[in-house]
Amino acid sequence: MKLKNKQILEAQQALGKLLNTNLPVKQAYHIKKTLASIKKQIMFIDEQRKDMIKKYGVEKEDGNFEIPVDEKEKRENFFTEYESLLEIEEEIDVRKLTLDDLERVELTANEIETIEFMIEVSE
């Protein structure tokens, strides 16, 4: 399934919550497989973000990079480039679950919204 990088990052918290819930083997397996695919992409996004910070930022004494607050143009360029990265779609191995599969899990409406791509709703 194609997902935007933004969706992938937003789903991270809810999937983590699902992983820490005692679920039947089949549902736990589907969640783990989906999360494994998502984790790879999250690592890639983070690497790209760090490269952008190096590109637009300055190195601090501790070896880390930051974009100074007073460098408005560099900050705008960073955020423009980062937003473009978040809009890119990637193919993710998503295993679908039903709402019944998730009945043991306490999720907020916002968390459900972030993982809606993996929920099958039958009518």
Side-chain angles (χ1 to χ4, degrees):
M1 168 181 284
K2 289 234 183 226
L3 295 175
K4 288 185 178 185
N5 285 330
K6 183 177 183 178
Q7 289 175 284
I8 293 167
L9 290 176
E10 289 172 346
Q12 198 173 198
Q13 181 179 348
L15 286 171
K17 204 172 194 180
L18 291 174
L19 270 180
N20 291 315
T21 302
N22 191 12
L23 294 170
V25 173
K26 184 178 176 183
Q27 286 87 352
Y29 175 80
H30 287 309
I31 291 165
K32 184 127 175 90
K33 291 296 279 185
T34 299
L35 189 58
S37 183
I38 283 178
K39 276 185 177 179
K40 287 180 193 175
Q41 189 60 25
I42 288 171
M43 288 178 15
F44 178 76
I45 294 166
D46 193 51
E47 287 173 18
Q48 295 300 305
R49 184 187 60 80
K50 287 176 183 175
D51 287 345
M52 288 179 214
I53 291 172
K54 284 181 183 177
K55 178 179 174 180
Y56 295 109
V58 293
E59 189 171 6
K60 300 187 311 185
E61 288 180 21
D62 64 2
N64 289 318
F65 284 78
E66 73 175 17
I67 304 169
V69 176
D70 60 342
E71 295 277 352
K72 186 178 177 182
E73 185 177 340
K74 287 183 179 183
R75 291 181 78 75
E76 287 175 1
N77 289 339
F78 166 79
F79 285 114
T80 299
E81 197 169 318
Y82 187 65
E83 284 296 321
S84 294
L85 173 66
L86 295 181
E87 290 300 314
I88 295 172
E89 287 187 332
E90 291 294 334
E91 189 66 38
I92 301 295
D93 180 16
V94 174
R95 308 294 174 100
K96 297 278 192 167
L97 298 169
T98 66
L99 288 175
D100 290 339
D101 293 335
L102 300 174
E103 69 182 315
R104 292 183 181 180
V105 185
E106 289 186 26
L107 295 170
T108 66
N110 285 337
E111 289 170 328
I112 290 172
E113 183 179 20
T114 64
I115 61 168
E116 193 171 20
F117 61 85
M118 65 182 292
I119 298 174
E120 255 182 47
V121 180
S122 57
E123 306 209 11

